[in-house]
Amino acid sequence: MGNVNPPGPVSTANPLLRQVLAFVIFALAVGLGGCSVRQAAVRTLSSALVSGDANVFSTDDDPELIGQALPFALKTLEALIDLDPENAELLLTTCSSYTQYTYAYVELEAERLRPKSFRESRRVRERAVKLYLRARDYCLKALDVRRPGASAGLLRDSATTLASFDESDVSLLYWTAGSWGSAISNGRHRSELLIDLEVVRQVLGRTLELDEDYGRGVLHDAMVALAALPEAMGGSYEQAQIHYRRAVELNGDRRVGSHLNWAWLVMIGRQDRAGFEAALDKALSVRSSDEAEEDRLANAVNRDFARFLRDQADELFLDDLEDDDFEDVDFENMDDGSVQDPESAGNLDEDGKISEKNGDLRR
């Protein structure tokens, strides 16, 4: 689904704070006898985590530091959900936090590994799919808390179900689509995920209807990812252009991710190297002094990945191959089995070579 902004639950980078939180959660779980008293205490702590200093992560400019702190924060949120499973705001925060962590520290790592080890890249990407699905399930649970039966309704009759949501649900709908769409994008070789693509499209469409300006253009960034798909899957280059321009307009051209999305998701697919390089130049021209405070960490993460893509440009664009790149290939004496039919061309073994067994289509 393209880039997402890193999360903002309470910082747990301090070891002492981690111990205090762990002790508090343990005490809440076993030390309070009355159910109502315990739930009130859990709600108080959850509220502090969910709506306290929400910018403590997103305003940081050190991705490595935040990457070390986030796993404990995520497990803290899950521990609180075990104690208060009907807390919709807590479920939403956990969904959004897992989605953003997975993008910044798992999906992008899988991309960086591709030139080095196809097998390891695939392993990390499968982990990304699992984490995105975990995030999605928390959002679906939050939907059911707010609108009982909503998660089943999305699969049965998306339009009718989505009509019941209003402006107060925009954030929840966005993160539902973001986590779900990211799982599909990274697991597009799995038919059981691809079948839900239209649901994600309808959720994003409804969210745009409710609040087009949400997140200063993040909905349009997400729509670029959908529009970048092949036409047979509902993609449209013209629609991608419209959403890209609108995203940049709404964020004041201060978000690296909008330009990164265009280069990564659209220009590579179209094999437009000039457009790719122009978009990356724009991404890397976003100055730290000009960026919105809440975009600081997201911009740092996406800026690093933009530099990686720029370094990989020669490997990403086939038009740059020279004739002598093929001079050692003996086309005339190839075995009959060395050329695969189109249906099996996407099936790769663990070393990234063509196989007739396991399919694994990547973007």
Side-chain angles (χ1 to χ4, degrees):
M1 284 285 293
N3 70 85
V4 287
N5 292 322
V10 66
S11 174
T12 53
N14 188 307
L16 177 59
L17 180 56
R18 290 202 299 266
Q19 294 174 18
V20 170
L21 281 172
F23 175 77
V24 170
I25 292 170
F26 176 77
L28 289 170
V30 302
L32 297 177
C35 180
S36 60
V37 175
R38 182 173 64 183
Q39 186 175 54
V42 171
R43 287 288 171 104
T44 300
L45 179 57
S46 298
S47 178
L49 289 172
V50 171
S51 59
D53 186 8
N55 290 327
V56 70
F57 281 180
S58 61
T59 59
D60 201 296
D61 62 356
D62 188 336
E64 184 176 359
L65 173 66
I66 300 305
Q68 294 170 351
L70 274 173
F72 183 83
L74 293 171
K75 297 309 295 182
T76 298
L77 292 169
E78 288 187 317
L80 289 171
I81 287 174
D82 284 344
L83 299 172
D84 189 9
E86 301 299 311
N87 187 330
E89 292 306 311
L90 184 59
L91 289 162
L92 170 57
T93 296
T94 307
C95 168
S96 65
S97 298
Y98 259 111
T99 302
Q100 295 167 104
Y101 170 79
T102 304
Y103 168 76
Y105 299 102
V106 186
E107 179 180 350
L108 293 190
E109 178 63 16
E111 289 291 332
R112 290 188 178 96
L113 285 168
R114 290 182 69 180
K116 303 174 184 177
S117 171
F118 182 89
R119 180 185 301 181
E120 183 63 11
S121 174
R122 185 168 65 179
R123 184 193 69 79
V124 175
R125 192 177 298 278
E126 288 299 329
R127 179 170 179 251
V129 172
K130 290 196 294 186
L131 290 174
Y132 279 133
L133 290 175
R134 182 187 298 197
R136 179 206 62 181
D137 288 347
Y138 283 124
C139 266
L140 290 178
K141 175 63 175 175
L143 287 174
D144 284 336
V145 171
R146 291 190 183 181
R147 306 281 197 285
S151 62
L154 285 177
L155 297 175
R156 184 177 58 251
D157 185 353
S158 298
T160 301
T161 301
L162 288 168
S164 68
F165 289 93
D166 56 35
E167 290 83 354
S168 66
D169 301 305
V170 165
S171 184
L172 178 53
L173 291 173
Y174 168 71
W175 288 111
T176 300
S179 57
W180 206 340
S182 295
I184 294 171
S185 176
N186 283 269
R188 63 179 62 186
H189 58 295
R190 293 168 55 174
S191 59
E192 75 273 18
L193 296 179
L194 277 174
I195 198 172
D196 294 331
L197 180 60
E198 186 56 31
V199 176
V200 173
R201 196 188 308 277
Q202 291 194 40
V203 173
L204 275 177
R206 175 58 174 161
T207 313
L208 267 173
E209 291 176 0
L210 292 171
D211 186 1
E212 188 234 353
D213 296 347
Y214 173 75
R216 296 172 21 257
V218 295
L219 290 170
H220 290 281
D221 284 327
M223 291 301 292
V224 168
L226 286 177
L229 293 170
E231 289 187 11
M233 298 175 68
S236 165
Y237 178 65
E238 289 73 22
Q239 285 298 309
Q241 286 181 306
I242 292 171
H243 288 296
Y244 171 45
R245 291 166 182 162
R246 185 59 176 152
V248 173
E249 179 182 357
L250 288 173
N251 65 49
D253 203 4
R254 297 194 293 171
R255 183 177 292 142
V256 174
S258 296
H259 299 301
L260 173 61
N261 250 5
W262 185 253
W264 181 20
L265 303 180
V266 181
M267 292 293 94
I268 293 177
R270 292 178 66 84
Q271 286 293 284
D272 183 345
R273 182 160 184 168
F276 170 84
E277 292 176 344
L280 290 185
D281 285 344
K282 290 179 181 178
L284 295 173
S285 71
V286 176
R287 296 182 299 180
S288 300
S289 58
D290 294 336
E291 65 190 6
E293 187 179 47
E294 62 269 25
D295 291 337
R296 190 172 295 152
L297 181 59
N299 278 350
V301 169
N302 287 321
R303 195 176 284 117
D304 285 346
F305 189 65
R307 294 191 184 103
F308 166 79
L309 285 183
R310 185 176 59 183
D311 292 341
Q312 293 294 311
D314 289 343
E315 306 300 323
L316 297 172
F317 292 91
L318 303 180
D319 289 345
D320 296 320
L321 293 176
E322 302 291 340
D323 290 341
D324 58 6
D325 290 332
F326 300 97
E327 63 183 8
D328 294 329
V329 180
D330 186 358
F331 292 100
E332 293 183 359
N333 295 315
M334 279 184 172
D335 293 334
D336 291 340
S338 57
V339 177
Q340 301 292 322
D341 62 71
E343 293 185 358
S344 66
N347 298 334
L348 306 174
D349 65 16
E350 292 184 345
D351 296 317
K353 299 177 180 179
I354 294 176
S355 168
E356 295 182 358
K357 296 181 180 179
N358 300 315
D360 188 12
L361 299 180
R362 299 299 183 204
R363 63 173 176 268

